[in-house]
Amino acid sequence: MVTQSGQGEQMGAGEQQDARQGPGQKTPRWTHEMLMNMDRRFIFVVIAIAVAAPLIFPLNLPVRSSREAEAYFNEMEKLQPGDEIIFSFDYEPDTMAELDPMSVATLRHAFRKDVRVLAQTTYAGGVGIAERILRQVAQEYDKVYGEDYVFFGYNPDYSATILRMGESIRSNYPTDHYHAPTDGIPLMKGVDCYDDIELLVTVTASALAEYWIIWAGGKYKQRIIAGNTAIQAVLIYPYYQAGQLAGFLGGLKGAAEYEKLIGVSGAGLLGMDAQSVAHLAIVCFIILGNIGFLIQKSRTKQTGGPRDSRQGG
Amino acid sequence: MKRTGPVVFGFLIGMLMLIQYFTQVPWIDDRYNNVLDWKQVVFGITLILGVVSLFLHHWKKIERKTGGWGYSVVTIAGLLFMIAAALIFGREEGPYPWMFDHVQAPMQSTMFALLAFYVASASYRAFRVRSFHAALLLTAGVIVMLGRVPLGEMMGFHIGEHYFSLGTISTLILDYPNLAAKRGVMIGVGLGMTATAIKIILGIERTYLGKGA
Amino acid sequence: MWEQAGIVVGALVTLAIFSLLYKDNPLYRFAESLLVGVSAGYYLVQYCFSAIYRKFYIPVIGEGDLWLLPGGILGLLILLRLSRRVQWMSRYAIAFYVAAWSGYLIPSVLQERILIQIRSTFPPSLAEASIWAVLGSLFLLVGVVSILVYFFFSAEHRGALGRISQVGITFLMVGFGASFGYTVMGRVSLLIGRFQYLFQDLPQALSF
């Protein structure tokens, strides 16, 4: 799968070097060139197979839960029947593959414990996702809209929404998503601000977890747990270490860990085999590329040719 | 009126929001809540303005028959269809949520799923052990990548009697050097945000108001 | 029936987007344009309901709360950006929005992103924690301080300052490596979601 000229791939530095050596010097140059310049479509096919094969033929690899996922689980587990939580669907369809499993598992856990849920979203595209998941999980546990859960829909401006809810949820949401006045919803009796809420759960693809921490957690002392995409999870560690975040889930793996903790299998656990094999495939590609690079580097040193212009960076 | 007025207005609003944090005066609390409500309306209308601009952009392309104008017809048709669907059948049922669930959501998520292929290809091409720091980045990345999935958690090595799994090593990386890096950047960015916010309230920073402000 | 048809349509548009992997093609561009239009329409409806109907119409027209009227006026000023002649009036709305955000950002960011983070970086005493916890915290402290030194551009990075900033770069590189690992994880997860849809949801909907 050596790159053909004219396919938009640039000639590697080693290739240029070897071309300058002339016909008199015989060096088996195909090895490192092949390793360093695989066709991108070959990589695409391997990744597609690495993801698809374990979904069709599962390996059932064991999933171990992390300390952060256990903390998230424990916060949910502490809730008592009749307690209220705010659940914010802070994501859109682009990341639903990662975050839907967390939302589904968290709502299952909440409804199983008869915890009441005030759901909302700070993304317009989160409305459809929230409606689908709430409907699905509420049906599973025979929960009644207005008594066991309520959906306020989307509200523009996340920062103002977070702060306004600290003062009054009713004023922030005069009606629910379905035009019913908030005052008339049975679940909202005696509930109006963060003081009346046991736990806030944000499932987010952006920096929203940080803003919930800064404003709802910092100003109103609201206890918070977060489900994050993998990319965001790595940024959230300082808040968790500082105690500003009570627990969090990171990416599909986090969802799988939580599903295992609550004992209900979902898309997270089902995807872990594919996740493992795909990661292994990518690591193999990186290693192969570097083997090629090191061979090229050693040959450049032997022949005393010019260094790779990108070296040393 | 055109230049100083907005800056003075911004100063008054900014100071109100800042002072509210430190006081418990009911009148200030009420105005603070009003500003939060107004802000939501302004934000919402700004987003509407964005959609209107998108519509006008594609409309002009169709009018002028510029290259790829046929795709603009598709965009405008999609936009108008969704508005009509919501007006006729409502937001809760019918074609509006159906289009979201079965057209928008699959396409939007696939658009991002494409990145899995590109990130694999880019990792293969870009990550080369060119220097000590590059090697460090690559090693940390590979350990975290493997250590956070079930297959990698099963991998490890022995040093004497102690067994170190990739999972444990990746946890150590995330808990210490990663945390330090993220916290260092976070504090730096936090200081920058605070300084910029102060400059905005005091009217020193005005570029956000556009040309001539 | 509609649900099943929807899953088939979803699979078709998924494949249309995936066709970009081979090369840019009219099918992909059609799907991309449709996505932009449908999303914009979807969002517009949500914005109108939440910002205009619920946050303005209900309180002001329905309940007569005139304190919310200025929000609508500021919103209208934003729309004046479309007219070159009176565009300057929209500056009031922009100044309002940005300054309000700045006002409530300052104390919260100072407290939560700076002061608490600094406090949490200092090691606990040996009476409170194990020797390993204290050593770990000291390591953390070295990392944070050296990174802050690296970002300190008011003095030239020479001598001791240069060496400390090199330590900072080392920490940053490991941090970026961790971010890279998690980025790959996130992107692969998204692909898994689409493949689950194609290989599990679709056959189920078609009752294979």
Side-chain angles (χ1 to χ4, degrees), chain A residues 35 155 177 219 241 279, chain B residues 20 40 91 124 145 183:
Chain A
L35 290 174
N155 210 48
H177 183 65
K219 190 171 182 187
Q241 188 261 356
H279 282 210
Chain B
Q20 193 277 340
Q40 292 177 24
R91 291 176 304 138
Y124 159 71
M145 219 194 296
R183 181 168 284 163

Side-chain angles (χ1 to χ4, degrees), chain A residues 35-38 62 67 93-94 125 155 157 164 167 172 177 219 238 241 253 279 285 290 310, chain B residues 20 32-33 37 39-40 43 91 100 109 112 124-125 127-130 145 148 150 153 175 183:
Chain A
L35 290 174
M36 287 178 72
N37 297 308
M38 280 185 238
R67 183 194 53 203
D94 46 8
N155 210 48
D157 194 343
R164 194 72 179 88
E167 302 291 324
N172 192 54
H177 183 65
K219 190 171 182 187
Q241 188 261 356
K253 171 73 179 350
H279 282 210
F285 276 122
N290 276 287
R310 292 168 295 177
Chain B
Q20 193 277 340
Y32 164 84
N33 284 326
D37 285 332
K39 208 167 160 275
Q40 292 177 24
F43 187 80
R91 291 176 304 138
F100 176 84
S109 50
F112 277 73
Y124 159 71
R125 270 167 230 292
F127 284 104
R128 299 278 194 257
V129 196
R130 292 201 177 92
M145 219 194 296
R148 301 306 281 181
E153 282 170 349
D175 280 352
R183 181 168 284 163

